Amino acid sequence: MPKEEFLALKSLSKNREIVIMKPDKGSGVVILDRSVYIAKMEEIILDTSKFKLAKNQDVYKISRTIERRVRTYLRDEVRNPGHISSDQYNELYPNGSHIGVMYGLPKIHKSGNPMRPICSAVGTATYQLGKFVADIILPASVNKHGTDLRDTFQFVSQMKGLDLTDCTLVSFDVQSLFTNVPLTATIDVCMDRLYRGDPAIVPSIPEHVLRNLLRLCVCDNTFVFNGRVYSQTDGVAMGSSLGPVL
């Protein structure tokens, strides 16, 4: 890289008036005025049907409260009754955790370049627990009609066997899919499919325990954006390990 370009990038990285990020899809670099970035994100976060400003703005106290809640439930309701091993408990036990951090990636392929909100959950009290629960409920995401898709590669594989000569391929897009997932109803569907569906996929963990673990991971998800603490009251946070499955 020429020296001039390197110095220019270094100068841009120190400019607090702008935000430098990658686009939501594809490659490239997006530069936004910080005020525009914050305004676009607040259009999403200030939706009171999905988010609310936390009454307690003390990040340290909130982190410790969530951590204690997760520790207590894991110890008293999951490990002590023997639903998980001591090794599993140690892997899931949160220590020195923090709350999530919200950021956005611009959808430059869409009109107006709206933001996709992503909550980084790495290092949160429920991060490891979320991955553990996601593996348990994964069988609930598969249905007998074959309308579920693992990824786009599976979709392409299925399409290869079809004759589409006289067909028109139509794509429907759900606006803000993750934040519009109804949590209570979705958790109910998971429980019904796991415990009252195929006997071969019934988890070893009791239904009420798994339901509460799910709630611990996805209900009232707390995060920081622009120096303020918020909680997500409905919908799934994109960035959660449980998001794709739910």
Side-chain angles (χ1 to χ4, degrees), residues 78-188:
V78 187
R79 184 200 63 178
N80 288 355
H83 302 315
I84 60 173
S85 67
S86 294
D87 287 342
Q88 287 175 311
Y89 172 75
N90 291 333
E91 289 178 5
L92 302 177
Y93 185 86
N95 189 32
S97 61
H98 56 76
I99 63 176
V101 177
M102 178 70 79
Y103 65 96
L105 296 179
K107 302 178 184 180
I108 60 174
H109 57 289
K110 292 190 176 182
S111 176
N113 307 134
M115 305 298 292
R116 182 184 299 280
I118 300 175
C119 185
S120 175
V122 178
T124 62
T126 57
Y127 180 64
Q128 294 297 336
L129 179 60
K131 294 196 291 184
F132 173 75
V133 173
D135 287 340
I136 295 175
I137 69 171
L138 182 61
S141 67
V142 180
N143 66 66
K144 62 183 179 181
H145 306 293
T147 56
D148 56 288
L149 281 172
R150 182 176 61 254
D151 49 38
T152 53
F153 297 105
Q154 183 183 0
F155 173 71
V156 171
S157 176
Q158 291 180 354
M159 294 296 287
K160 284 181 178 178
L162 300 177
D163 181 6
L164 303 176
T165 305
D166 298 319
C167 298
T168 301
L169 183 64
V170 180
S171 174
F172 292 95
D173 183 40
V174 179
Q175 185 176 358
S176 302
L177 173 61
F178 278 65
T179 53
N180 282 311
V181 172
L183 279 180
T184 301
T186 305
I187 291 173
D188 287 343

Side-chain angles (χ1 to χ4, degrees), residues 191-210:
M191 296 301 102
D192 285 340
R193 287 191 175 185
L194 289 171
Y195 293 94
R196 284 168 288 282
D198 184 353
I201 66 171
V202 176
S204 59
I205 295 178
E207 179 178 348
H208 73 279
V209 174
L210 183 58

